Amino acid sequence: MTQRTSRVSVSALPLLLHVRCAPRIVVHLADVAQAGRAIVSSGRSTLPLLVEVSALREVTWDAREAILSYHHPARVAILGSDAVDLVLTAFTVRSPMTIRFFTERDDAVRWLLRR
């Protein structure tokens, strides 16, 4: 199952959920809400979550607040392409979720699936 817009896609894979943001976007509250609705409608909202970002330009304040208020029951890995992505997603350290930043997909998936 994949739900996609031109900005954000959500795929329910056998062992994890995959959220992918289009490269070089400013993440808005509407993007976070759309991803959240897709996660819930997947029927697999308890699976680990891989969030892939690439060269983010910005995460708006409203989007940050929505992300911080969300609690995913399983691990969350943020897969970014560079230090800018790390800085733009660093606010997630305040999140109550178990979350880590990665630059290598294999490392992120291995961590997500580790028991």
Side-chain angles (χ1 to χ4, degrees):
M1 180 224 95
T2 299
Q3 291 190 18
R4 180 179 310 259
T5 68
S6 60
R7 298 176 54 80
V8 178
S9 68
V10 177
S11 301
L13 305 174
L15 298 175
L16 58 88
L17 292 166
H18 182 212
V19 175
R20 175 181 260 161
C21 295
R24 296 173 298 284
I25 67 168
V26 174
V27 177
H28 294 280
L29 178 58
D31 301 312
V32 175
Q34 183 265 327
R37 284 189 301 273
I39 288 169
V40 169
S41 70
S42 76
R44 295 177 167 178
S45 60
T46 60
L47 290 176
L49 180 61
L50 175 64
V51 179
E52 188 171 348
V53 297
S54 180
L56 284 178
R57 288 192 4 231
E58 180 184 349
V59 180
T60 67
W61 184 257
D62 288 347
R64 290 175 194 204
E65 291 298 312
I67 293 166
L68 288 173
S69 69
Y70 174 72
H71 179 73
H72 194 74
R75 292 177 180 209
V76 177
I78 298 175
L79 177 61
S81 59
D82 57 24
V84 175
D85 291 337
L86 172 60
V87 169
L88 287 172
T89 59
F91 65 87
T92 60
V93 298
R94 291 185 12 225
S95 174
M97 297 179 282
T98 304
I99 190 167
R100 283 189 55 193
F101 181 86
F102 296 87
T103 55
E104 298 294 328
R105 178 184 302 275
D106 289 346
D107 293 340
V109 171
R110 212 175 357 265
W111 179 77
L112 284 173
L113 300 179
R114 188 175 73 199
R115 297 201 184 260

